[in-house]
Amino acid sequence: MPNGPPASAIRDRFVADHRSLEEVGARLLVAVEAAAGPAVQALWDAFAHRLSEHLEAEERDLFPKVYRSSPRSARALVEEHRHIRSRIDEMRVDVEKGTVRVEAARGFIAELCAHERHEEDVMLRWTDEDLPVEEAALSALGAARK
């Protein structure tokens, strides 16, 4: 068993990163609602980049551990990540064209929040089993925030 932080520490870091992404998403939504073109593009670029890094960190550092205790949950989360990536691509096109609709942005943020809650439920069950976590998983989130 590796000497690393407890599973609850990584859960707490991922949950904190979820809240941070939600805050950026809320600012993005305000900009979309205000039809603030350049601000939308800048916020979108930052949001999409952070979200992509977050998804990669989860897939690399979290999902393999979740898979050991709950293969079905891990596969469901991977499928949700595929869907999120396709939505990122759809939104990117609309943002770049300047045609992003408020309803589409709200829908995307709502889907993302629902996914985060699902992921947090899975992580809670996983940490209840106290599976080991390597320090690299926590480091990846720190890098994603910079």
Side-chain angles (χ1 to χ4, degrees):
M1 185 185 278
N3 285 338
S8 60
I10 192 164
R11 181 196 67 218
D12 293 347
R13 290 286 293 272
F14 275 105
V15 169
D17 207 47
H18 286 169
R19 297 299 87 77
S20 177
L21 284 164
E22 287 175 11
E23 290 171 14
V24 177
R27 289 195 309 269
L28 173 65
L29 189 53
V30 167
V32 169
E33 289 170 342
V40 170
Q41 183 69 53
L43 284 165
W44 173 257
D45 290 345
F47 178 72
H49 180 73
R50 283 255 337 269
L51 178 55
S52 294
E53 285 183 340
H54 178 89
L55 297 175
E56 289 169 17
E58 287 176 337
E59 291 166 356
R60 180 185 61 244
D61 300 316
L62 178 65
F63 289 3
K65 290 154 188 53
V66 171
Y67 187 83
R68 287 185 215 132
S69 66
S70 181
R72 177 181 281 180
S73 293
R75 285 191 299 268
L77 293 174
V78 167
E79 283 304 312
E80 289 177 18
H81 276 204
R82 283 188 188 131
H83 175 73
I84 290 167
R85 283 189 173 96
S86 72
R87 295 286 283 136
I88 289 170
D89 291 341
E90 291 170 11
M91 290 288 295
R92 178 178 290 119
V93 169
D94 290 343
V95 168
E96 287 174 356
K97 288 181 181 177
T99 60
V100 65
R101 294 182 344 230
V102 173
E103 300 80 25
R106 278 191 194 130
F108 177 68
I109 300 298
E111 287 177 38
L112 189 57
C113 289
H115 165 73
E116 289 170 348
R117 299 305 178 265
H118 177 219
E119 211 166 58
E120 290 167 15
D121 288 345
V122 169
M123 281 191 283
L124 185 59
R125 289 192 305 273
W126 168 67
T127 56
D128 284 347
E129 296 176 15
D130 202 30
L131 296 176
V133 177
E134 288 80 22
E135 187 65 37
L138 294 177
S139 299
L141 284 180
R145 288 182 173 201
K146 293 177 183 171

